[in-house]
Amino acid sequence: MMSRWVALGTAGLGLVLGLFGAVEFGGGPVVQTIVEQRWIAVLGIDFTLAVDGISIVLVLLTGLAAVSGVLISWNVEHRIKEYYAFYLTLIGGVYGVFLSFDLFLLFVFYEIAIVPKYFLIAIWGSTRREYAAMKLALYSFVGSALVLIGIIAAYVVSGVFSFDIRDLAAAEFPMEFQIWAFPLVFVGFAILAGLWPFHTWAPTGHVAAPTAASMLLAGVVMKLGAYGALRVAMTLFPQGLVYWQDTLAGLAVVGIVYGALVALTQKDFKFVIGYSSVSHMGFVLLGMASLNLIGLSGAVLQMFSHGIIAGLLFAVVGRMVYERTHTRNIDELKYMRLRAKMPAVAMVFTVAGLASMGMPGFSGFVAELQVIIGAWQAFPMFSVLAGVGIVIGVCYTLKTIQLVFYNEDDDSRPAPTDESEEEMVAMTLPERIAAWMLMLTSLLVGLYPRILLDLINPAFQTPLFEGLRKAANW
C-alpha cells in the first residue's frame, strides 16, 4: 500500500512543481535556463535544462497524466513496487525530454523512456503483450538510431562544438544537408508520434499495455515524438522542412483519415481508442506542417488536449469497463446494459467521447479548429480532407457510445450469463478523482484556451525559432 502513496506523492509533486513553474514563467518570448553544468567537456556536452512556453505546457500535461495514471492503477497487486518503479522512471524520462536543451541530454532521456515502456507492457500487459512490447521497442530504437545519426551529423557540420540546441539552431546548415538531414530526424521522432505508415506499433501497444501505461503511451509518450520533431528537426533544419512540407502534410492527412476509418470498423473497444489516437496525432503533424503560427500553436495545443482526452478514454476502457466486464468485445458489451449498471462510467465516457470528436467547449475543438485554419492557409485541399477525418471521427465515436452504453436492441441478445448479469462495481474514489481531474482540465482549456495559448504563442517568437520564421516568411 505504501508504494501507491509514494508513487502518488511523487507524481503529485511533479504536477505541483509544474504548476508553480508555469506561474513563475509567466509566458513571453523567452527561454529560461533551470540548470546548466558542464558534463562531457571534451565533446562540448552540457547538462542543460531549460523551459519555454511549449515545454511548460507539456510538463503540465505530464504531471496530469502521471497523477491520473497512478489513481487509475490503484488496484494493481502484481509486483506493485516494480510496477511503480518502472512507471516513475518513464515519467522521469518524459520530463527530461521536455526540459532538455542539450540534444545529447535530450537523446539520453529519450532512450531512458523506452526501457520502462517495454517492461510495463511485457510484464503487466495483456493481449500478445510480449509481441506488442517488442514491436514498440524495435520501432522506438529504429527511430532513435535515425535521430542519433541526424544529431551527430548536425554537430559535425555546424562546427560550433556544442550540442546546445540554441547554438545549433543559430548555425546555418547548407540546403543540401538539410534536405536529407531533416527527414532523417523528423521521421525518427515522428515514428513515436504515430506518423503513417510507421504507426502500427501504436494500436498494438495501446491494447496490450496495462491501463495506466496506455494512458501514458497515448497521453505523453506519443507527444515525445511530436515534440522532438518540432523542437529538433524543425528548429535545426527549417529549409529542409519547407522542401518536404507537402509530403509531410500528405502523410499527416492520410493518418487522420486512415486512423478514423479503421477505428470505425473495430470490434475491440480498446482498438477503437488506439486507432483514434493515430488519427488525432495526425492533426498534430498537420499543424506542424502548416508552417504558420496558428497551425503550429494549434499543434502544441492538440498535443495537450489529446493527451488529456486519450488518457481519460483509455482509463474508461481499460480500468472501468474491461476489469469489470472482462471483455472488450463490443458485440458482447452492447448487451450488458452498462448504462444502467454503471451510469457514472457511461457519463464519463460520453463526455470524453464528445470532447474527443471536437465538441465546442472542450479543448479538442479549439485545438483542431486552429489546425484546420492553419492547414487551410497552407494547403486548402488537405484541410478539407482533414475535415472529412473529423466527420468520420464523429461517426465512430457516436457509434461506440451508442453500442457500448446505450444499446436497447434485444432481438439478437444471447442467453444471459451470471457474469454479464452481475451487478457492476461502482467507480472507486481514485477513479472518480482521476476522471473529474481530466474532464475539468479539458473543459477549462476549451472554455478559456488563452490559459495555454498565452504560453505557446510567444514561444514561437524566441530566437530559437528564427530560422523557422524566416523559412516560412512570417
Side-chain angles (χ1 to χ4, degrees):
M1 190 63 177
M2 181 60 67
S3 300
R4 296 185 181 94
W5 286 106
V6 170
L8 181 60
T10 304
L13 180 61
L15 176 58
V16 170
L17 290 176
L19 290 169
F20 179 77
V23 173
E24 287 293 304
F25 178 75
V30 295
V31 175
Q32 292 187 3
T33 301
I34 302 172
V35 177
E36 187 170 16
Q37 293 291 333
R38 179 64 70 184
W39 186 17
I40 306 176
V42 69
L43 295 176
I45 298 174
D46 297 334
F47 191 95
T48 303
L49 300 180
V51 66
D52 64 0
I54 297 171
S55 295
I56 199 67
V57 166
L58 296 176
V59 165
L60 291 174
L61 169 63
T62 305
L64 289 165
V67 172
S68 59
V70 173
L71 292 171
I72 290 297
S73 60
W74 205 256
N75 65 316
V76 172
E77 298 292 345
H78 176 57
R79 298 169 68 173
I80 185 171
K81 293 181 180 179
E82 296 169 58
Y83 175 86
Y84 284 118
F86 283 124
Y87 182 90
L88 293 176
T89 301
L90 173 56
I91 293 297
V94 171
Y95 276 129
V97 171
F98 291 149
L99 295 175
S100 296
F101 270 61
D102 183 281
L103 291 190
F104 185 84
L105 180 63
L106 184 150
F107 183 80
V108 169
F109 279 118
Y110 193 79
E111 293 301 291
I112 287 174
I114 293 177
V115 177
K117 287 187 300 183
Y118 173 86
F119 286 106
L120 283 169
I121 296 174
I123 298 175
W124 290 274
S126 61
T127 315
R128 302 176 71 194
R129 59 190 181 188
E130 292 86 0
Y131 167 78
M134 185 56 68
K135 186 175 184 179
L136 189 154
L138 289 175
Y139 270 73
S140 299
F141 280 123
V142 169
S144 298
L146 297 178
V147 169
L148 182 60
I149 293 170
I151 289 175
I152 293 175
Y155 172 79
V156 173
V157 173
S158 70
V160 299
F161 194 67
S162 171
F163 279 93
D164 191 300
I165 192 171
R166 291 163 291 190
D167 296 334
L168 292 173
E172 295 186 2
F173 295 102
M175 182 63 178
E176 296 77 9
F177 174 74
Q178 293 195 36
I179 288 176
W180 69 262
F182 171 78
L184 194 73
V185 177
F186 188 94
V187 172
F189 278 118
I191 287 174
L192 202 59
L195 174 68
W196 186 91
F198 310 106
H199 67 284
T200 58
W201 68 267
T204 307
H206 292 325
V207 169
T211 302
S214 293
M215 295 171 67
L216 289 184
L217 279 175
V220 295
V221 172
M222 294 184 80
K223 310 308 176 290
L224 293 182
Y227 175 81
L230 173 63
R231 177 68 79 195
V232 182
M234 294 176 61
T235 302
L236 297 188
F237 315 118
Q239 294 295 336
L241 170 59
V242 173
Y243 183 86
W244 292 100
Q245 181 183 11
D246 290 345
T247 302
L248 294 178
L251 292 177
V253 169
V254 171
I256 292 170
V257 178
Y258 171 83
L261 285 172
V262 177
L264 186 62
T265 65
Q266 293 303 304
K267 296 297 183 182
D268 186 305
F269 199 4
K270 210 172 185 183
F271 265 117
V272 174
I273 312 304
Y275 277 103
S276 77
S277 289
V278 174
S279 181
H280 283 97
M281 285 302 296
F283 283 97
V284 174
L285 299 172
L286 180 61
M288 290 162 56
S290 70
L291 276 184
N292 50 58
L293 181 59
I294 190 169
L296 288 167
S297 61
V300 178
L301 189 62
Q302 174 70 352
M303 289 188 213
F304 182 91
S305 173
H306 176 258
I308 295 298
I309 297 169
L312 182 57
L313 290 170
F314 276 113
V316 173
V317 175
R319 173 70 185 104
M320 302 177 193
V321 173
Y322 177 70
E323 295 195 17
R324 288 167 170 82
T325 64
H326 311 294
T327 182
R328 295 194 306 262
N329 190 320
I330 294 176
D331 288 335
E332 296 177 7
L333 291 170
K334 68 182 182 180
Y335 296 115
M336 291 187 180
R337 301 182 183 277
L338 296 184
R339 179 179 60 85
K341 295 179 180 180
M342 298 189 296
V345 175
M347 182 275 293
V348 171
F349 187 83
T350 301
V351 171
L354 294 175
S356 176
M357 70 185 196
M359 176 66 72
F362 291 96
S363 56
F365 172 77
V366 182
E368 291 182 5
L369 179 63
Q370 287 200 215
V371 170
I372 292 294
I373 294 174
W376 178 265
Q377 294 177 3
F379 12 69
M381 182 55 67
F382 285 155
S383 69
V384 172
L385 293 175
V388 172
I390 293 176
V391 173
I392 301 172
V394 172
C395 294
Y396 71 68
T397 301
L398 294 179
K399 173 188 172 184
T400 304
I401 293 172
Q402 189 272 326
L403 287 177
V404 175
F405 294 103
Y406 296 95
N407 182 52
E408 300 293 340
D409 181 13
D410 288 344
D411 292 343
S412 58
R413 187 182 184 193
T417 62
D418 292 339
E419 182 177 326
S420 65
E421 292 297 319
E422 67 182 2
E423 190 69 24
M424 302 294 178
V425 178
M427 287 177 65
T428 63
L429 180 60
E431 292 170 356
R432 291 177 184 272
I433 295 173
W436 277 105
M437 180 173 65
L438 296 177
M439 286 191 296
L440 291 176
T441 299
S442 180
L443 188 63
L444 173 63
V445 175
L447 294 175
Y448 190 66
R450 281 190 58 186
I451 195 171
L452 295 183
L453 290 176
D454 284 350
L455 295 171
I456 297 169
N457 287 332
F460 289 106
Q461 305 299 330
T462 62
L464 188 61
F465 288 98
E466 182 178 355
L468 186 61
R469 293 195 299 273
K470 288 181 178 178
N473 295 316
W474 55 272

